[in-house]
Amino acid sequence: MLLAVLSGFLLAFVAPWLARAAGRYSGWLLALLPAGLTFWFASFLPEVAAHGSILFEYPWVPGLDVGLTFYLDGLSLLFALLISGIGTFIVIYAGGYLADHPDLRRFYVVILAFMASMLGLVLSSNLIALFVFWELTSITSYLLIGFDHEDEKARKAALQGLIVTVGGGLALMAGFVLLAMAGGSYELAELLHEGDAIRDHALYLPLLLLILFGAFTKSAQVPFHFWLPNAMAAPTPVSAYLHSATMVKAGVYLLARLNPSLGGTDAWLLLLSLFGALTMFTGAVMAIRSTGVKRMLAYSTVMALGTLTLLIGLGTPTAAAAAVTFLLAHSLYKGALFLIAGILDHETGCKDFRDLGGLRGKLPVTAAVAALAALSLAGILPLFGFVAKELLFESVIGAPWIVVAPVTLLALASAVLIVAAAAVVGIRPYFGPTVPTPKHPHEAPPALLAGPVTLAALGLLFGLYPALAEHQILAAAARAVHGAPVELNLALWHGFNLPLLMSLVSLGLGLWVFSRWEFVRARFDRHLEPRERFGPERGYELFMEGIVRISDWQTRLLQNGYLRYYILTIVITLVALTGYTLLTRYPVVPTPNLAGIEIHLLAVALMTVLAALFAIITHSRLGAVALLGAVGFGVALVFILFSAPDVGITQVLVETLTVILLVLVIFRLPGMYALSRPRARYRDSGVAVALGGLLVWLLLLIQETRFFPSISAYFIENSQPLAHGRNIVNVILVDFRALDTLGEITVLALAAVGVYAMIKLRAEDRQK
Amino acid sequence: MDTIMALVVGTLYATALYMMLRRSIIKLVIGLILLSNAANLLIFTAAGLTTGAPPLVPDGASAPVGAVADPLAQALILTAIVISFGVLAFAVVLIHRAYEIVKVDDMDQMKDTDT
Amino acid sequence: MKTQMNSLILRTTGHFLLPLLLIFSIFLLLRGHDEPGGGFIAGLVAAAAIALYLFSMGIKSARQVLWVDPRNLFGIGLTLAVLSGVPAIFYGQAFFTSQWWPIYLPPFGTLKLSTPLFFDIGVYLVVVGSVLTIVLTLAEAEG
């Protein structure tokens, strides 16, 4: 299992060389891995259907008790199959679609890395690992949207997608930490059984909101839906894979995954079903308003994501069944439609429905596949989309009373609009009068057709035999979402009932909308365009401008270029915070400890203090060096008098060398002039005295109280028995803490290299 | 004696900070030297002051007799002293080089990166 | 400012003190595990000895008496220090676990050959190398 998840990363490393070696067939060659993974995951189908879940554990950082755990149940297996299965066709398709692109090999690297991250995301049982994979998908998505990096629009869209999804990721991480606190574990496999404890926890609402924020941004829910259509700047295989079939469903996956732990509360029901329903409707309206092929598909994806969120939010067994069925159906037809959009673009050079028409003669296979996928999108007999749509209607009319009215209305309205959009997608480019196109269209090559044909055929197969999908995977998936076994009873024909009636209504109205597409679009445009200035995308732009303005302001304030203001800021903060904590938490006046005062100790202390004080008022450089030497030797005497011979000797030697150093350099530095104004001097002495006073106070308190024993006891006891050394300080340096010492001598060596480099560089400057 | 040492540490910190806040770069160097002495002495004093009991094990014994001074703080300070020499040398040469290029000793005139 | 000071006393002491101080530094290094001393102190003593020589004899003689570039010294020292952590791996222990191979030398007693000793020698070389690199390059920049 570990190998299965990581194999994508491994292949990504060598993909450029493999692709070069394979030449024109690189796509077919690299697709062997996802294809193999698909079959490997499929081999788990019987076991998961029978037992429900399998747990794989691998030690990762055993010392910290961090493991890599993978949890395979119906839900994660369904996702894993979709990721590796659709991934297979995407890689093949990319080999044909981007055959002449100079960066094809880079594309393979990122798309394989993405596939591996996505697999890791859906299979991880550990929340931390899940989060890491989650962020990896955001990053690979950024690289893929911005694949055409010379296009400014693509770069902008990539950044927008990254900021929205990573911003959500940040909230998600906080949510995960709270979730682990509430549930007492970072393992999903355990959290799934802690539902009651989590729901009753005081942190339930905050953690729910944080996790929903993460999931909603990733899955493009209102009001974060705007990044997804912009992400269509990516090459078509990416749109089909990331922004339709897999990555954007990560948020939905997370919601479905956590439904047994978090679901079942009023907050969950209201937030998910209302945001989901709104997203569904918004997506449908925006889809019918679009004329770009990919843009319309992107908005219909937004609609589908909203539908899934709504279904997970409803929480009924039927809704769970509908969610997994709709998920599978959508991945199949939307993947196919995106790939067809790519074919149209590739063969004709057009990206807008208004420039396409009458292509059925030139592209017969594409037209047939498009028709199948569009029928599934519209939810028409006998395709799998119909099964999903029936279940959707059944779920919304059986929803809890509090939301039943709005969600049913919105679902019906969205269905009408999506039927119209499906008609545009399936009919418009292929029928009607032939429109001249920039390129002379030919039927697409097998590499491009393999994916859409297979996906559409599966949609038809599952439509005709829904039980096939149900027994293999959907029953297990629905059980994972709902947390208890669910009766699915998928069938094409349930007799005449309310869902069927709703289907018929949506079909009829949808076809009417299609027949008057231009009119409907104009109507929507007239009402919505003036309001778009206040839309969420505008909010995003304002947010970004605000960030720039704030960072500009704070850079001017904090990075003002005056070293002493930096020091002042740091010291005042230190004094204020430490002082506040000391006074509020530990309001004790330390008693002066004057025991053991001896005249020679007192003399040393006095000499050190006086030397330091004179060093700051002298105007002679030589005098300052001498006084600093006196301070240093005074400190050395303190070390020696208080039982630290090694430290004392070191201090004496370093003090000698420091004087040599200063003698070598200081006379080439400027003299000591008083540059500050008196006011600045008073202010600085005030701050300096405050810092000194704080440290005196702190030291006195430390000397009075020991909160815990020194860890030195271990070193003192074991110096001779374990390390065969009688000088404990030296034993600590070269044996117990040798690694620290290694770091320290490295710093010393680096300082020497720095000095050498600076002086030699100057010598070279002079020679020039 | 502990109280006296605390006062010494406080004075060293105050003088070091005062020098580091001056505009003349040479005073910054003096402040740095004072600061490293102050920091070492702070750690040393905080670990507790012991007279006449260095952390050495007598020949033939397996552990020192009675309480000895804290060896861990001493080990920390020992390396800190040597490193602070290296860092001081680096800082001094850096300041000298900056002075050579910019030809001003007032740090207020050194605040632009593009001179 | 010149680094060489024309003082007869300084010149004479420089000549005699250098070997004595260097031997003393090695003595400090070897006894460091049991008595006050060790790589840091010994390294500083050696560096100070050569700095003294530098002031009395001038930069050229100081370079000659060193016979290696101090920059190589800290490189060798760092390498030695890192390598001293390696043997533990062959005994299946954590990096830097100390290993002891005491050698019995009849007239002198036992030499405690060990990885911490090699580590301490590495520290010694780094300290000598770094301090001398700093002092010598600065002194040369004077010239």
Side-chain angles (χ1 to χ4, degrees):
Chain A
M1 178 58 81
L2 188 61
L3 186 68
V5 172
L6 295 182
S7 58
F9 290 119
L10 297 178
L11 188 62
F13 272 113
V14 294
W17 292 278
L18 282 180
R20 182 172 299 171
R24 280 182 51 223
Y25 298 100
S26 54
W28 297 94
L29 178 72
L30 292 173
L32 286 177
L33 175 78
L37 285 175
T38 315
F39 285 111
W40 189 74
F41 282 122
S43 72
F44 285 101
L45 281 170
E47 201 179 341
V48 167
H51 298 107
S53 67
I54 315 168
L55 196 64
F56 301 83
E57 287 179 83
Y58 303 92
W60 185 9
V61 191
L64 293 174
D65 203 24
V66 176
L68 271 182
T69 39
F70 296 108
Y71 185 71
L72 194 62
D73 65 355
L75 184 64
S76 45
L77 185 56
L78 173 63
F79 268 94
L81 282 170
L82 285 174
I83 293 160
S84 50
I86 297 181
T88 310
F89 297 113
I90 295 294
V91 173
I92 296 173
Y93 185 92
Y97 185 77
L98 294 171
D100 305 323
H101 199 287
D103 285 333
L104 174 63
R105 290 192 291 272
R106 179 160 63 90
F107 180 83
Y108 284 135
V109 172
V110 187
I111 199 107
L112 286 169
F114 165 77
M115 186 190 76
S117 321
M118 196 66 209
L119 280 176
L121 196 169
V122 297
L123 291 168
S124 288
S125 168
N126 186 290
L127 286 180
I128 302 293
L130 195 158
F131 175 74
V132 170
F133 286 120
W134 176 283
E135 294 294 60
L136 277 176
T137 61
S138 294
I139 292 166
T140 41
S141 154
Y142 168 74
L143 292 174
L144 287 169
I145 300 174
F147 183 68
D148 237 342
H149 55 84
E150 282 164 15
D151 178 11
E152 194 194 339
K153 244 181 80 194
R155 289 201 306 270
K156 248 187 173 156
L159 189 66
Q160 191 182 53
L162 185 73
I163 286 178
V164 173
T165 51
V166 168
L170 217 58
L172 184 70
M173 184 171 75
F176 276 174
V177 172
L178 293 184
L179 176 62
M181 279 165 65
S185 168
Y186 274 100
E187 292 298 319
L188 276 174
E190 288 165 36
L191 287 171
L192 291 181
H193 305 292
E194 296 292 333
D196 291 329
I198 296 169
R199 278 183 289 265
D200 293 339
H201 201 275
L203 289 172
Y204 173 73
L205 200 61
L207 79 86
L208 177 68
L209 291 176
L210 286 168
I211 290 178
L212 288 188
F213 186 69
F216 281 6
T217 50
K218 192 89 165 179
S219 281
Q221 300 293 304
V222 168
F224 307 110
H225 61 281
F226 56 89
W227 73 265
L228 186 57
N230 293 338
M232 293 301 135
T236 305
V238 173
S239 311
Y241 195 33
L242 273 72
H243 305 122
S244 156
T246 57
M247 187 190 87
V248 290
K249 293 222 177 83
V252 171
Y253 164 78
L254 191 71
L255 296 176
R257 168 56 75 218
L258 292 174
N259 184 34
S261 312
L262 298 175
T265 60
D266 287 346
W268 175 270
L269 171 71
L270 287 174
L271 285 169
L272 262 68
S273 56
L274 292 183
F275 273 100
L278 269 179
T279 308
M280 175 172 74
F281 185 64
T282 311
V285 170
M286 297 301 285
I288 202 70
R289 284 185 59 200
S290 314
T291 58
V293 180
K294 282 175 77 178
R295 216 170 166 78
M296 178 181 278
L297 292 176
Y299 276 120
S300 83
T301 304
V302 171
M303 176 262 173
L305 294 168
T307 311
L308 286 166
T309 307
L310 159 68
L311 287 172
I312 294 166
L314 291 181
T316 55
T318 323
V324 292
T325 314
F326 190 83
L327 178 85
L328 177 60
H330 175 258
S331 293
L332 294 177
Y333 66 68
K334 195 55 68 62
L337 286 173
F338 262 113
L339 295 179
I340 288 167
I343 293 179
L344 290 177
D345 181 15
H346 198 251
E347 297 300 325
T348 66
C350 293
K351 296 167 194 260
D352 196 300
F353 282 117
R354 290 172 299 189
D355 302 336
L356 295 163
L359 287 169
R360 70 176 188 282
K362 300 270 175 51
L363 305 168
V365 183
T366 311
V369 173
L372 269 184
L375 284 174
S376 199
L377 168 64
I380 293 173
L381 274 168
L383 285 132
F384 199 45
F386 174 75
V387 180
K389 191 164 151 188
E390 292 281 284
L391 270 172
L392 164 65
F393 285 141
E394 200 181 329
S395 305
V396 291
I397 52 183
W401 64 269
I402 192 164
V403 292
V404 67
V407 298
T408 310
L409 277 176
L410 286 173
L412 193 59
S414 309
V416 170
L417 294 173
I418 278 307
V419 168
V424 173
V425 170
I427 297 173
R428 181 100 190 188
Y430 310 103
F431 295 89
T434 308
V435 180
T437 52
K439 282 197 207 168
H440 191 65
H442 289 287
E443 186 56 271
L448 297 189
L449 280 175
V453 168
T454 316
L455 295 175
L458 277 175
L460 182 62
L461 177 73
F462 289 150
L464 293 173
Y465 304 103
L468 191 66
E470 175 185 343
H471 293 304
Q472 288 295 334
I473 180 74
L474 289 183
R479 180 165 68 177
V481 175
H482 191 60
V486 176
E487 283 287 320
L488 263 77
N489 295 326
L490 294 188
L492 263 185
W493 190 249
H494 280 285
F496 290 99
N497 52 16
L498 196 50
L500 183 68
L501 186 66
M502 289 168 78
S503 273
L504 290 175
V505 170
S506 67
L507 192 61
L509 284 174
L511 288 175
W512 176 80
V513 171
F514 169 63
S515 66
R516 314 202 55 181
W517 186 39
E518 299 292 341
F519 168 76
V520 172
R521 269 200 16 243
R523 260 295 169 78
F524 273 130
D525 281 351
R526 206 170 64 217
H527 282 95
L528 290 175
E529 236 155 36
R531 290 184 179 79
E532 257 163 19
R533 277 184 294 129
F534 309 103
E537 184 154 14
R538 184 77 194 119
Y540 167 82
E541 282 161 15
L542 283 176
F543 176 73
M544 297 304 285
E545 282 167 22
I547 285 185
V548 171
R549 216 167 295 151
I550 289 177
S551 73
D552 188 52
W553 168 79
Q554 71 98 22
T555 308
R556 271 170 214 284
L557 183 75
L558 297 176
Q559 312 262 24
N560 46 37
Y562 293 97
L563 177 68
R564 59 176 195 280
Y565 291 136
Y566 299 164
I567 300 177
L568 267 182
T569 314
I570 295 170
V571 170
I572 291 175
T573 315
L574 171 85
V575 171
L577 290 182
T578 318
Y580 174 80
T581 315
L582 275 183
L583 288 178
T584 51
R585 297 277 179 86
Y586 204 73
V588 180
V589 181
T591 43
N593 173 6
L594 295 172
I597 291 193
E598 287 179 49
I599 191 73
H600 61 283
L601 293 174
L602 206 58
V604 170
L606 202 63
M607 178 195 85
T608 313
V609 167
L610 285 179
L613 288 174
F614 279 118
I616 66 170
I617 49 176
T618 180
H619 286 292
S620 143
R621 288 173 291 182
L622 191 61
V625 171
L627 286 164
L628 285 176
V631 172
F633 284 110
V635 173
L637 278 174
V638 171
F639 290 146
I640 291 171
L641 291 171
F642 287 107
S643 318
D646 287 282
V647 185
I649 298 169
T650 313
Q651 171 81 12
V652 168
L653 289 165
V654 164
E655 215 44 63
T656 315
L657 288 166
T658 305
V659 171
I660 291 179
L661 175 82
L662 289 179
V663 167
L664 283 174
V665 176
I666 209 159
F667 291 103
R668 299 193 299 155
L669 288 175
M672 301 168 75
Y673 306 109
L675 295 169
S676 308
R677 276 165 293 136
R679 236 184 72 201
R681 257 178 266 163
Y682 291 131
R683 177 198 63 202
D684 294 347
S685 11
V687 177
V689 169
L691 175 72
L694 175 81
L695 284 160
V696 172
W697 187 267
L698 193 66
L699 256 183
L700 291 176
L701 286 176
I702 289 174
Q703 286 163 346
E704 212 163 77
T705 355
R706 296 266 157 202
F707 289 106
F708 39 83
S710 167
I711 56 167
S712 303
Y714 171 84
F715 300 125
I716 295 172
E717 277 163 26
N718 292 305
S719 172
Q720 171 67 13
L722 284 184
H724 313 289
R726 291 187 287 109
N727 179 358
I728 304 172
V729 174
N730 186 260
V731 168
I732 292 175
L733 284 176
V734 300
D735 196 335
F736 288 136
R737 310 294 312 167
L739 204 57
D740 295 352
T741 312
L742 181 66
E744 283 148 1
I745 57 178
T746 310
V747 173
L748 188 63
L750 282 177
V753 172
V755 169
Y756 183 81
M758 274 194 285
I759 289 180
K760 290 294 157 183
L761 280 179
R762 187 189 56 175
E764 277 169 21
D765 276 359
R766 274 187 186 161
Q767 277 166 12
K768 273 176 197 166
Chain B
M1 200 58 217
D2 292 8
T3 309
I4 304 289
M5 286 315 296
L7 289 171
V8 174
V9 171
T11 317
L12 285 183
Y13 263 104
T15 51
L17 178 64
Y18 182 77
M19 285 313 259
M20 289 173 76
L21 290 174
R22 306 274 52 81
R23 274 161 66 180
S24 153
I25 45 174
I26 191 163
K27 292 187 177 174
L28 176 68
V29 176
I30 295 170
L32 280 176
I33 297 175
L34 286 170
L35 189 70
S36 65
N37 275 321
N40 289 336
L41 208 54
L42 173 75
I43 299 172
F44 188 71
T45 316
L49 297 170
T50 320
T51 44
L56 297 168
V57 182
D59 205 357
S62 74
V65 188
V68 291
D70 191 337
L72 192 61
Q74 295 192 13
L76 280 177
I77 299 166
L78 200 154
T79 52
I81 292 171
V82 181
I83 289 183
S84 65
F85 171 75
V87 173
L88 176 73
F90 184 80
V92 166
V93 173
L94 184 68
I95 286 170
H96 178 228
R97 184 123 172 79
Y99 171 64
E100 263 188 347
I101 293 172
V102 191
K103 289 290 177 211
V104 289
D105 62 339
D106 184 351
M107 300 228 288
D108 279 12
Q109 293 168 31
M110 277 194 185
K111 71 190 198 71
D112 289 325
T113 46
D114 44 21
T115 25
Chain C
M1 199 194 98
K2 281 161 69 180
T3 32
Q4 186 183 357
M5 298 178 184
N6 258 332
S7 147
L8 185 63
I9 303 173
L10 202 57
R11 274 224 300 272
T12 321
T13 46
H15 254 307
F16 285 107
L17 273 180
L18 180 67
L20 278 177
L21 282 173
L22 286 183
I23 291 172
F24 180 58
S25 81
I26 291 174
F27 165 72
L28 280 175
L29 168 68
L30 291 181
R31 76 164 204 165
H33 216 52
D34 288 329
E35 306 285 340
F40 280 102
I41 292 175
L44 288 170
V45 167
I50 291 174
L52 179 69
Y53 194 82
L54 164 76
F55 274 92
S56 56
M57 300 297 178
I59 180 81
K60 268 207 179 118
S61 339
R63 283 262 182 215
Q64 271 167 9
V65 87
L66 255 177
W67 61 260
V68 282
D69 193 316
R71 278 179 297 151
N72 295 339
L73 281 182
F74 65 71
I76 297 168
L78 270 183
T79 316
L80 191 64
V82 173
L83 286 181
S84 80
V86 174
I89 295 174
F90 297 111
Y91 294 91
Q93 289 161 318
F95 191 63
F96 267 129
T97 312
S98 58
Q99 307 298 328
W100 295 83
W101 310 281
I103 298 173
Y104 185 62
L105 299 171
F108 306 105
T110 318
L111 176 65
K112 292 203 282 186
L113 199 64
S114 61
T115 53
L117 181 65
F118 285 110
F119 185 79
D120 220 5
I121 295 173
V123 172
Y124 175 81
L125 291 176
V126 173
V127 173
V128 175
S130 307
V131 173
L132 283 182
T133 304
I134 293 170
V135 171
L136 286 181
T137 40
L138 275 175
E140 268 170 349
E142 292 300 306

